[in-house]
PDB file of all heavy atoms in Angstrom:
ATOM      1  N   SER A  32      -2.500  11.950  16.086  1.00 97.00           N
ATOM      2  CA  SER A  32      -3.046  10.700  16.294  1.00 97.00           C
ATOM      3  C   SER A  32      -4.180  10.271  15.297  1.00 97.00           C
ATOM      4  O   SER A  32      -4.316   9.109  14.889  1.00 97.00           O
ATOM      5  CB  SER A  32      -3.467  10.417  17.738  1.00 97.00           C
ATOM      6  OG  SER A  32      -4.451  11.345  18.105  1.00 97.00           O
ATOM      7  N   PRO A  33      -5.065  11.242  14.831  1.00 97.00           N
ATOM      8  CA  PRO A  33      -6.066  10.858  13.904  1.00 97.00           C
ATOM      9  C   PRO A  33      -5.480  10.266  12.580  1.00 97.00           C
ATOM     10  O   PRO A  33      -6.031   9.265  12.083  1.00 97.00           O
ATOM     11  CB  PRO A  33      -6.870  12.142  13.570  1.00 97.00           C
ATOM     12  CG  PRO A  33      -6.656  13.014  14.859  1.00 97.00           C
ATOM     13  CD  PRO A  33      -5.234  12.669  15.251  1.00 97.00           C
ATOM     14  N   GLU A  34      -4.417  10.839  12.149  1.00 97.00           N
ATOM     15  CA  GLU A  34      -3.741  10.334  10.904  1.00 97.00           C
ATOM     16  C   GLU A  34      -3.177   8.946  11.097  1.00 97.00           C
ATOM     17  O   GLU A  34      -3.300   8.080  10.272  1.00 97.00           O
ATOM     18  CB  GLU A  34      -2.709  11.250  10.405  1.00 97.00           C
ATOM     19  CG  GLU A  34      -3.179  12.582   9.853  1.00 97.00           C
ATOM     20  CD  GLU A  34      -3.355  13.723  10.843  1.00 97.00           C
ATOM     21  OE1 GLU A  34      -3.164  13.416  12.118  1.00 97.00           O
ATOM     22  OE2 GLU A  34      -3.712  14.788  10.470  1.00 97.00           O
ATOM     23  N   ILE A  35      -2.627   8.690  12.296  1.00 98.00           N
ATOM     24  CA  ILE A  35      -2.092   7.401  12.615  1.00 98.00           C
ATOM     25  C   ILE A  35      -3.171   6.326  12.705  1.00 98.00           C
ATOM     26  O   ILE A  35      -3.096   5.178  12.239  1.00 98.00           O
ATOM     27  CB  ILE A  35      -1.226   7.463  13.926  1.00 98.00           C
ATOM     28  CG1 ILE A  35      -0.070   8.439  13.774  1.00 98.00           C
ATOM     29  CG2 ILE A  35      -0.713   6.061  14.243  1.00 98.00           C
ATOM     30  CD1 ILE A  35       0.895   8.229  12.619  1.00 98.00           C
ATOM     31  N   ASN A  36      -4.288   6.764  13.375  1.00 97.00           N
ATOM     32  CA  ASN A  36      -5.469   5.820  13.533  1.00 97.00           C
ATOM     33  C   ASN A  36      -6.024   5.490  12.152  1.00 97.00           C
ATOM     34  O   ASN A  36      -6.408   4.331  11.889  1.00 97.00           O
ATOM     35  CB  ASN A  36      -6.505   6.439  14.400  1.00 97.00           C
ATOM     36  CG  ASN A  36      -6.047   6.509  15.863  1.00 97.00           C
ATOM     37  OD1 ASN A  36      -5.245   5.679  16.301  1.00 97.00           O
ATOM     38  ND2 ASN A  36      -6.565   7.540  16.578  1.00 97.00           N
ATOM     39  N   SER A  37      -6.083   6.487  11.292  1.00 97.00           N
ATOM     40  CA  SER A  37      -6.617   6.196   9.979  1.00 97.00           C
ATOM     41  C   SER A  37      -5.743   5.325   9.153  1.00 97.00           C
ATOM     42  O   SER A  37      -6.159   4.409   8.395  1.00 97.00           O
ATOM     43  CB  SER A  37      -6.769   7.567   9.177  1.00 97.00           C
ATOM     44  OG  SER A  37      -7.166   7.388   7.900  1.00 97.00           O
ATOM     45  N   PHE A  38      -4.417   5.530   9.278  1.00 97.00           N
ATOM     46  CA  PHE A  38      -3.425   4.682   8.607  1.00 97.00           C
ATOM     47  C   PHE A  38      -3.547   3.216   9.099  1.00 97.00           C
ATOM     48  O   PHE A  38      -3.540   2.284   8.338  1.00 97.00           O
ATOM     49  CB  PHE A  38      -2.010   5.261   8.851  1.00 97.00           C
ATOM     50  CG  PHE A  38      -0.909   4.450   8.209  1.00 97.00           C
ATOM     51  CD1 PHE A  38      -0.775   4.430   6.843  1.00 97.00           C
ATOM     52  CD2 PHE A  38       0.027   3.753   8.986  1.00 97.00           C
ATOM     53  CE1 PHE A  38       0.223   3.727   6.230  1.00 97.00           C
ATOM     54  CE2 PHE A  38       1.042   3.057   8.409  1.00 97.00           C
ATOM     55  CZ  PHE A  38       1.192   3.073   7.011  1.00 97.00           C
ATOM     56  N   SER A  39      -3.665   3.098  10.445  1.00 97.00           N
ATOM     57  CA  SER A  39      -3.788   1.776  10.962  1.00 97.00           C
ATOM     58  C   SER A  39      -5.056   1.069  10.494  1.00 97.00           C
ATOM     59  O   SER A  39      -4.941  -0.144  10.221  1.00 97.00           O
ATOM     60  CB  SER A  39      -3.832   1.891  12.535  1.00 97.00           C
ATOM     61  OG  SER A  39      -3.998   0.624  13.138  1.00 97.00           O
ATOM     62  N   GLY A  40      -6.116   1.813  10.342  1.00 97.00           N
ATOM     63  CA  GLY A  40      -7.357   1.209   9.798  1.00 97.00           C
ATOM     64  C   GLY A  40      -7.120   0.735   8.331  1.00 97.00           C
ATOM     65  O   GLY A  40      -7.613  -0.368   7.997  1.00 97.00           O
ATOM     66  N   ALA A  41      -6.416   1.534   7.559  1.00 97.00           N
ATOM     67  CA  ALA A  41      -6.115   1.123   6.207  1.00 97.00           C
ATOM     68  C   ALA A  41      -5.223  -0.106   6.203  1.00 97.00           C
ATOM     69  O   ALA A  41      -5.379  -1.000   5.297  1.00 97.00           O
ATOM     70  CB  ALA A  41      -5.423   2.257   5.471  1.00 97.00           C
ATOM     71  N   LEU A  42      -4.381  -0.207   7.182  1.00 97.00           N
ATOM     72  CA  LEU A  42      -3.455  -1.429   7.197  1.00 97.00           C
ATOM     73  C   LEU A  42      -4.301  -2.638   7.538  1.00 97.00           C
ATOM     74  O   LEU A  42      -4.146  -3.678   6.964  1.00 97.00           O
ATOM     75  CB  LEU A  42      -2.422  -1.267   8.325  1.00 97.00           C
ATOM     76  CG  LEU A  42      -1.255  -0.210   8.041  1.00 97.00           C
ATOM     77  CD1 LEU A  42      -0.366  -0.050   9.289  1.00 97.00           C
ATOM     78  CD2 LEU A  42      -0.399  -0.711   6.829  1.00 97.00           C
ATOM     79  N   ARG A  43      -5.220  -2.499   8.509  1.00 96.00           N
ATOM     80  CA  ARG A  43      -6.063  -3.656   8.833  1.00 96.00           C
ATOM     81  C   ARG A  43      -6.931  -4.097   7.702  1.00 96.00           C
ATOM     82  O   ARG A  43      -7.185  -5.248   7.486  1.00 96.00           O
ATOM     83  CB  ARG A  43      -6.950  -3.282  10.062  1.00 96.00           C
ATOM     84  CG  ARG A  43      -6.282  -3.303  11.360  1.00 96.00           C
ATOM     85  CD  ARG A  43      -7.236  -3.262  12.571  1.00 96.00           C
ATOM     86  NE  ARG A  43      -8.102  -2.103  12.492  1.00 96.00           N
ATOM     87  CZ  ARG A  43      -7.795  -0.860  12.982  1.00 96.00           C
ATOM     88  NH1 ARG A  43      -6.640  -0.678  13.589  1.00 96.00           N
ATOM     89  NH2 ARG A  43      -8.600   0.135  12.987  1.00 96.00           N
TER      90      ARG A  43
END
Side-chain angles (χ1 to χ4, degrees):
S32 59
E34 290 88 355
I35 301 303
N36 291 330
S37 176
F38 180 68
S39 177
L42 290 172
R43 282 193 304 275

